[in-house]
Amino acid sequence: MLHFVFFPVPDHPPTNIIAQAVSFSSITVSWNPVPPGHENGVIIGYRVLYVKEREAQPKLNSTLQANVSGFEVTGLMPFTNYCIQVLAFTRQGDGNISDCLIASTAEGGK
């Protein structure tokens, strides 16, 4: 008889997510790992998802290695609010995504 071991995905998102404007077109995002006991396997990496607040377009995302705990989102619109979310993933798939953190880019020049 075959037995399959099922490893679910992380059941908790990364913690202590911070997002702040670096310039009129970029926001830095940093986070702490998924809390111990909630990884449900080996964390392979993180995804940072971002979209203009109140916009229905698909979220853009960047995939990062597990040893990375920060990312600079670039190419954004000046003085605009963005919804930033982070999730961890294992070989089994994406884990729970963080709540939407609203961050605004700085005002642009002339």
Side-chain angles (χ1 to χ4, degrees), residues 43-57:
I43 301 292
I44 295 174
Y46 297 95
R47 296 191 207 288
V48 176
L49 298 95
Y50 47 98
V51 65
K52 280 191 217 178
E53 185 180 32
R54 295 186 195 64
E55 203 164 277
Q57 76 183 42

Side-chain angles (χ1 to χ4, degrees), residues 16-34:
N16 196 31
I17 299 167
I18 298 171
Q20 57 189 16
V22 174
S23 72
F24 66 91
S25 64
S26 64
I27 294 172
T28 59
V29 183
S30 63
W31 59 88
N32 289 338
V34 172

